């Protein structure tokens, strides 16, 4: 039987500065909202038009034990890592990086952005890895916007970019370690969009344009709505042009020991991560700038 999931809480994503001074809205972690297993962090960055020379980024830093997923809406970011990997993420592109056992990378505005300025906007989410996958070799999945399928409702009022998982019968391209749905949903006024979402998946919505109603409650712009685990589908309704991300995944249900760029299961593993980083075991970036 189809039973509708409701919202358990709605919180505004507070503004902050990250990296060298990139304006962000961080839906979590915060003192009110620690994580939504397996999602560890949700940042909506930019959304601002930068002047020439003003673009800032995230210089060399390590990661171990989880995945970072970057989805660009506008602007260009250049990334480099300690394994010699190098590339440019453009508007619409997705980089799904499995940090696994560890690497050092940098995420900085591309040269064209630095020189010309322009609108920079996107999302970075951190997805935890189960203990069995935390020490896997680092791995990338890079999707250009053209390779991310879009599903459309019959009435044309809902368009869904399927980054991971599936929607309206369309399957996403990313391979994930655990079942994950990562959807960018665009609704026109009057749209009603229903997504099957089994109750064993933790789920959230983040609205970055317009507002969306779920089971009679409104999620305004720049707010995160946690979706209760009380049904097997969720219905979104919009009265204005609206864009939101829908994230859902099977929780890992393991202890989380996190500090800065490392997310492990125990304090000892966290300590080991810092030691390995200090001893240079995660490497350093040698790709020329
Ligand atoms: Fe990073």
């Amino acid at each position: 039987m189809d039973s509708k999931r409701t919202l358990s809480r709605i919180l505004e994503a507070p503004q902050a500065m990250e990296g060298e001074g990139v304006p962000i809205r961080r839906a979590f972690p915060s003192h009110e909202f620690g994580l939504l297993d397996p999602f560890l962090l949700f940042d909506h960055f930019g959304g601002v038009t930068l002047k020439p020379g003003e673009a800032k980024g995230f210089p060399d830093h390590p990661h171990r034990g989880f995945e970072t997923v970057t989805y660009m809406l506008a602007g260009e970011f250049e990334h480099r890592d300690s394994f010699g990997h190098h590339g440019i993420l453009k508007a619409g592109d997705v980089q799904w990086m499995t940090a696994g056992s560890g690497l050092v990378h940098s995420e900085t505005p591309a040269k064209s952005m630095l020189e010309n300025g322009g609108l920079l906007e996107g999302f970075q989410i951190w997805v935890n890895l189960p203990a069995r996958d935390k020490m896997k070799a680092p791995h990338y999945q890079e999707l250009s916007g053209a390779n991310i399928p879009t599903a459309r409702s019959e009435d044309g009022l809902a368009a869904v970019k399927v980054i991971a998982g599936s929607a309206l019968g369309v399957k996403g391209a990313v391979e994930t370690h655990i079942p994950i749905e990562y959807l960018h949903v665009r609704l026109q006024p009057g749209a009603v969009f229903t997504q099957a979402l089994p109750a064993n998946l933790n789920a959230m919505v983040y609205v970055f344009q317009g507002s969306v109603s779920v089971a009679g409650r409104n999620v305004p712009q720049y707010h995160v709505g946690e979706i209760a685990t009380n049904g097997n589908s969720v219905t979104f309704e919009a009265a204005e042009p609206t864009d939101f991300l829908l994230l859902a995944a099977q929780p890992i249900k393991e202890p989380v020991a996190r500090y800065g760029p490392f997310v492990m299961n125990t304090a000892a593993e966290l300590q080991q991560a810092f030691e390995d980083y200090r001893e240079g075991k995660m490497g350093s970036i040698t790709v020329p700038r």
Side-chain angles (χ1 to χ4, degrees), residues 61 63 105 107 124:
H61 60 279
H63 292 298
H105 77 161
E107 302 155 286
Q124 185 165 99

Side-chain angles (χ1 to χ4, degrees), residues 35-55:
L35 80 170
L36 183 68
D37 185 11
F39 303 111
L40 299 160
L41 173 144
F42 184 103
D43 279 354
H44 174 198
F45 59 81
V48 288
T49 300
L50 302 161
K51 297 190 183 82
E54 208 180 53

Side-chain angles (χ1 to χ4, degrees), residues 157 186-193 210-213 218 236-244:
L157 296 178
R186 174 166 288 177
L187 300 182
Q188 301 305 324
V192 179
F193 166 65
S211 64
V212 75
S213 170
N218 193 53
F236 301 93
E237 296 178 61
E240 57 182 320
T242 293
D243 278 90
F244 64 88

